[in-house]
Amino acid sequence: MSIFSSKTDRPASPAVSRSPQEQPAAKGAECRVWERHGCDMQAACQSVANRSSNDLMWPATIRNISRGGVGLVVDRRFERGTGLFIECQTKKAECVGPYMARVVHATSRPDGIWLLGCSFVRPLTDEQLNEFLQAAALQVDRQPKRLAEVERVTARVLNEKLPPGFQKRDSRTNLLAGVALEGVTSEGETVRLMVRRLCLMTGIWPPADGALLQLSVLTTTAETFTTHIRALTCSQLEGRWTIRYAFAEPQPAQVLRVFGHPVPADPIEE
């Protein structure tokens, strides 16, 4: 009799091979599979549930992006699971996106800003990711040297002229987020004032080229003042409005500082 006929000496069964999907996840393993690219890119987002041509696009900053997701900084809260459309501008002045993503986590900061981690519904292709990164590089090149920001501006159109055949709707307030006021200093330098909230009390939006606007400004440090500008042009890109302006009269030092203009040696008395 063979000494190997005993049941206790039976050869061990071969190990069962598992597919990658069946393999137990390693404890503490990193779930991220896409390479993240840090950036500081201006963009716009909009809730999928409220998507329409007339809905407000909320300004956002992309802090990092990968083929699988994006990190956003916004000034309003979006609940976990919210679907968002995200878009920005390419170097050809064309729109990148919109691409649909879902909020995975949202973290508030003491200054009222929200940090959103979002996952794309469909991963970006390498080409689409490169479009985002090229747009980010372009924005760095175009970024004005001077940047200022105010909390709220209440605007009134003083010399409104309606286009022929235009029928004005019932009077109502227009509230817009993330409006940029862009001007040129006496030295030829571009300066931009970012308005977190602009409230148009009278007049149609967007204001006509050449319209005279009265602005009541509340700064981030709770300063208030009133000034007048002339809207040279008004345009929209990525859901964000920009008004190119010129001051309607000489300005005191306080206004120049807030708008990002250099203060002359002999400023106008405030």
Side-chain angles (χ1 to χ4, degrees), residues 13-260:
S13 299
V16 177
S17 176
R18 296 176 181 267
S19 67
Q21 291 82 3
E22 295 173 332
Q23 293 286 357
K27 200 169 184 178
E30 175 59 60
C31 295
R32 190 184 308 280
V33 296
W34 309 113
E35 180 184 0
R36 280 193 299 177
H37 301 267
C39 59
D40 188 11
M41 177 168 51
Q42 299 304 308
C45 65
Q46 185 180 48
S47 171
V48 173
N50 298 323
R51 180 75 169 178
S52 79
S53 58
N54 296 322
D55 283 332
L56 180 67
M57 296 288 290
W58 291 89
T61 301
I62 296 178
R63 292 300 189 199
N64 58 74
I65 188 170
S66 71
R67 287 186 57 193
V70 62
L72 295 178
V73 177
V74 295
D75 60 359
R76 60 151 292 176
R77 180 180 180 180
F78 287 101
E79 296 289 347
R80 181 178 178 182
T82 300
L84 296 177
F85 283 111
I86 302 170
E87 60 186 58
C88 68
Q89 181 191 7
T90 69
K91 65 180 181 180
K92 297 179 181 179
E94 297 172 348
C95 182
V96 175
Y99 293 109
M100 185 177 174
R102 293 197 180 279
V103 178
V104 178
H105 60 80
T107 304
S108 63
R109 295 196 322 199
D111 57 1
I113 299 299
W114 287 83
L115 308 178
L116 306 182
C118 304
S119 176
F120 288 120
V121 174
R122 292 183 179 179
L124 301 180
T125 65
D126 287 335
E127 181 180 358
Q128 290 168 338
L129 177 60
N130 286 334
E131 280 189 316
F132 269 107
L133 298 179
Q134 289 171 5
L138 177 69
Q139 287 187 4
V140 171
D141 293 339
R142 289 183 173 178
Q143 186 70 24
K145 294 181 180 180
R146 295 177 179 270
L147 183 64
E149 186 176 60
V150 294
E151 185 66 34
R152 188 181 70 242
V153 168
T154 301
R156 292 176 171 81
V157 180
L158 301 182
N159 63 338
E160 183 177 33
K161 294 182 180 180
L162 300 180
F166 182 90
Q167 292 185 353
K168 189 173 182 180
R169 297 176 299 179
D170 294 337
S171 177
R172 60 181 179 181
T173 300
N174 287 286
L175 180 62
L176 302 104
V179 178
L181 303 180
E182 190 173 283
V184 178
T185 71
S186 56
E187 301 170 351
E189 183 180 5
T190 298
V191 290
R192 180 178 295 169
L193 177 68
M194 182 57 65
V195 181
R196 294 181 180 176
R197 296 286 184 272
L198 188 145
C199 181
L200 183 69
M201 301 298 294
T202 61
I204 60 173
W205 185 268
D209 294 353
L212 181 64
L213 303 180
Q214 175 182 292
L215 306 181
S216 298
V217 179
L218 172 65
T219 71
T220 55
T221 57
E223 296 179 87
T224 59
F225 60 83
T226 298
T227 189
H228 297 85
I229 64 170
R230 193 166 298 280
L232 304 179
T233 61
C234 188
S235 59
Q236 186 182 31
L237 181 65
E238 303 171 343
R240 181 177 299 182
W241 288 96
T242 296
I243 299 177
R244 291 188 60 252
Y245 72 89
F247 287 121
E249 64 267 328
Q251 298 295 323
Q254 178 194 24
V255 176
L256 293 175
R257 282 194 298 267
V258 170
F259 275 73

